[in-house]
Amino acid sequence: MSYYNYHSNIKKKIKESTITEMFIVDNYNKISPCLIVKTDDKHYPIREYRWQEYFDIANSIGIVIQDKRTI
């Protein structure tokens, strides 16, 4: 049995990816609001209570998080 840590794997992919984008949307797969982390090959939805971790990572490596929510 292997252990899968969703957030650890995403953070690792962010550091290894050649292309990483992060943006906030109103709704994604029934997560509302949702931060989307897009790496080379995949989109990862992040619930709001975990956002600060990703904001810190984005800030440390120079990624600008776009807010694509409708107002």
Side-chain angles (χ1 to χ4, degrees):
M1 181 172 145
S2 64
Y3 176 72
Y4 180 78
N5 187 320
Y6 184 76
H7 294 284
S8 290
N9 287 332
I10 295 170
K11 292 172 187 176
K12 181 179 177 185
K13 283 192 171 278
I14 291 169
K15 293 173 185 169
E16 295 174 349
S17 180
T18 56
I19 299 170
T20 301
E21 293 179 63
M22 296 183 191
F23 50 91
I24 300 168
V25 295
D26 289 319
N27 190 347
Y28 184 85
N29 286 347
K30 299 181 183 176
I31 299 173
S32 180
C34 185
L35 172 65
I36 305 292
V37 177
K38 180 180 174 187
T39 61
D40 295 323
D41 59 345
K42 201 166 178 184
H43 289 74
Y44 300 94
I46 310 297
R47 294 186 185 278
E48 190 171 12
Y49 73 93
R50 300 292 299 250
W51 287 6
Q52 190 58 53
E53 300 168 50
Y54 291 90
F55 291 169
D56 293 344
I57 292 169
N59 188 47
S60 72
I61 60 176
I63 296 173
V64 175
I65 297 176
Q66 300 173 39
D67 191 341
K68 296 185 177 183
R69 293 177 285 189
T70 56
I71 299 174

